[in-house]
Amino acid sequence: MTKAKAEELYARLAHVRPDPKTELDYTNPYTLLVAVVLSAQATDKGVNRATGPLFQIADTPAKMLKLGEEGVADHIKTIGLWRNKAKNVVALSQNLIDQHNGEVPRERDALEALPGVGRKTANVVLMEIFGEGTIAVDTHVFRVANRTGLASGTTPAEVEDQLMRITPPKYLHGAHHWLILHGRYTCLARKPECPRCVIADLCVFQPKTRAIAPTKASAPSGAKSKKR
């Protein structure tokens, strides 16, 4: 995709969602970090259901440590990989206290050194909390970028590198949210909803899905039926 088309793509997504935000619930940098760690291979809604009660009693590293691994596990059992995630949440909380005075670090290397934190999680924190122009590539962003032709790659790192090069600076901060939300609600994995997609004419995906013709049952109430 050319830079001109990429700019038009982002302009349209921004028009639909002028103020894109993460759908993960959080109250401070620490709870966002924990929420993103828990969101791996899980839905944001599922994470929010678990973290609502959890963050009411443990919204700091010290409180999370006091709750302990078993206590954390009891709150997140509805989330995939909950045992390992509980261990990581407690370990990263200890690391934050020992090495960062209980604060979430702004440095990428320090973030990625935390248990359970990879590049995607670090990118989300750097963007959402510290306002840096980063693009976290999850499954939705990876799919939308490749499918539309905005950025192609066989790995998240390749896609991220291309997205960083082609995304106009003025759209960089919201790019992750626009792409992930577009993938979550329009450019679906199994059957993208092309007929209602605002960037369908810019997208290289073929064959595009078509609108489903209304059946008799779904025809407008005022429509006249043919006599037999």
Side-chain angles (χ1 to χ4, degrees):
M1 186 174 292
T2 65
K3 287 191 174 183
K5 283 189 175 182
E7 181 151 4
E8 177 64 17
L9 179 148
Y10 281 116
R12 294 184 193 182
L13 295 180
H15 179 74
V16 174
R17 293 186 174 90
D19 187 26
K21 297 178 180 178
T22 179
E23 294 187 323
L24 288 171
D25 295 335
Y26 68 97
T27 58
N28 55 37
Y30 171 72
T31 54
L32 174 67
L33 174 63
V34 172
V36 180
V37 168
L38 295 178
S39 70
Q41 299 184 42
T43 65
D44 287 359
K45 290 182 179 179
V47 172
N48 291 339
R49 283 194 294 269
T51 58
L54 174 63
F55 291 159
Q56 287 183 6
I57 59 174
D59 60 354
T60 68
K63 291 178 182 177
M64 197 69 76
L65 284 180
K66 186 176 180 180
L67 189 59
E69 188 175 324
E70 289 302 316
V72 175
D74 285 341
H75 282 83
I76 66 171
K77 284 184 177 179
T78 55
I79 301 175
L81 307 176
W82 57 273
R83 288 188 183 278
N84 193 52
K85 288 177 180 179
K87 178 186 288 187
N88 284 335
V89 167
V90 170
L92 73 83
S93 299
Q94 186 68 64
N95 186 293
L96 290 176
I97 291 174
D98 293 343
Q99 300 186 28
H100 304 288
N101 297 315
E103 301 293 329
V104 175
R106 183 167 186 166
E107 298 75 22
R108 175 184 294 282
D109 289 345
L111 283 169
E112 293 188 22
L114 295 171
V117 177
R119 186 173 183 85
K120 185 197 78 171
T121 299
N123 277 345
V124 173
V125 172
L126 290 172
M127 172 192 60
E128 191 74 20
I129 298 300
F130 300 110
E132 295 193 13
T134 61
I135 300 179
V137 179
D138 70 347
T139 55
H140 295 298
V141 176
F142 186 84
R143 180 177 67 257
V144 171
N146 275 285
R147 182 179 278 171
T148 60
L150 180 62
S152 60
T154 58
T155 67
E158 290 177 356
V159 170
E160 180 187 340
D161 184 60
Q162 290 191 39
L163 286 175
M164 292 299 293
R165 290 202 303 265
I166 199 170
T167 302
K170 65 180 179 180
Y171 293 121
L172 196 55
H173 186 261
H176 164 76
H177 292 311
W178 285 315
L179 295 175
I180 192 174
L181 294 173
H182 189 66
R184 185 172 290 164
Y185 297 112
T186 304
C187 194
L188 308 179
R190 293 187 178 181
K191 188 176 182 181
E193 299 188 5
C194 303
R196 68 179 187 87
C197 176
V198 298
I199 58 171
D201 59 313
L202 302 173
C203 172
V204 301
F205 175 69
Q206 294 295 338
K208 290 183 170 64
T209 58
R210 296 177 180 273
I212 300 175
T215 63
K216 289 183 180 180
S218 61
S221 57
K224 296 181 178 179
S225 59
K226 292 182 179 180
K227 294 182 179 180
R228 294 186 179 180

